[in-house]
Amino acid sequence: MLGANLLRRGYGNDKRVAIISNNNYEWYVAHLASLFVGDINIPLDKSLPKVDVISCLKRSEAETVFCDKKHKKIIDEILKENIEGICVKEIYLLEYVEKNEKNESSNENEKIETIYDLIDEEKEQIENKKDNTYIEKYDNLEQEPYKPSIFLFT
């Protein structure tokens, strides 16, 4: 479901997707979904200091970040600093957030989205028989074995 929703949102064209979080189920789901749709995955070490997160985001040219709440605060700080070379446009949380917690966002213009929101959005499309094009597209994706798919910083 997540992969289909990523396709619906325009992923699958070598977009660069960073993931920074503690290892958990959601981390793996986001990692595999972004790989399977054909994007370039950038797993970042959860213990990186802010300066190294900035460096990795700049060098990788990541447009999207999947992260936990702890790292979202760091990413938000980085984005507020308007650092040249940072390309992040979308952030998705890798944990469930209650609706009332979403409404308490510090920034009124900021919509907190989680991978559960993306999955639920796709489920709704299928259950209401609105559009299952992207599920079918996701199910029929063919992997390109020689295409770069991971930027790994060591």
Side-chain angles (χ1 to χ4, degrees):
M1 295 284 180
L2 179 60
N5 192 272
L6 290 175
L7 288 173
R8 183 179 301 281
R9 290 170 178 250
Y11 288 78
N13 299 310
D14 294 327
K15 275 196 177 183
R16 295 168 186 217
V17 178
I19 302 178
I20 184 167
S21 168
N22 288 321
N23 291 342
N24 55 35
Y25 171 76
E26 293 85 355
W27 191 101
Y28 293 104
V29 170
H31 176 68
L32 292 175
S34 66
L35 284 176
F36 289 165
V37 300
D39 289 325
I40 298 170
N41 201 281
I42 305 135
L44 300 177
D45 188 312
K46 65 185 179 205
S47 62
L48 286 175
K50 181 179 167 182
V51 67
D52 290 338
V53 172
I54 291 169
S55 174
C56 290
L57 291 175
K58 285 171 89 170
R59 291 187 292 149
S60 69
E61 300 175 359
E63 301 172 49
T64 301
V65 176
F66 283 95
C67 59
D68 56 17
K69 290 177 187 174
K70 173 187 167 190
H71 290 95
K72 184 177 184 313
K73 289 177 184 175
I74 295 168
I75 301 299
D76 285 344
E77 288 174 14
I78 292 168
L79 293 178
K80 285 179 185 170
E81 293 174 20
N82 291 320
I83 298 168
E84 188 175 334
I86 299 288
C87 307
V88 175
K89 295 177 184 81
E90 297 173 309
I91 303 171
Y92 300 108
L93 283 177
L94 292 173
E95 45 194 293
Y96 184 77
V97 177
E98 295 288 338
K99 286 188 181 194
N100 62 343
E101 194 176 344
K102 287 181 183 181
N103 296 335
E104 294 171 3
S105 171
S106 57
N107 181 352
E108 289 181 10
N109 297 324
E110 176 185 287
K111 181 181 177 191
I112 298 173
E113 284 192 292
T114 71
I115 66 166
Y116 294 104
D117 295 327
L118 304 183
I119 291 168
D120 289 345
E121 184 179 294
E122 201 58 37
K123 280 184 187 175
E124 184 181 319
Q125 291 289 327
I126 293 164
E127 289 169 358
N128 295 331
K129 298 185 181 358
K130 291 181 182 175
D131 181 10
N132 65 352
T133 306
Y134 293 95
I135 279 286
E136 291 171 7
K137 186 175 180 180
Y138 183 76
D139 287 344
N140 295 310
L141 285 174
E142 291 188 24
Q143 299 301 312
E144 298 177 39
Y146 300 107
K147 181 183 154 239
S149 58
I150 297 178
F151 287 173
L152 191 60
F153 294 99
T154 58

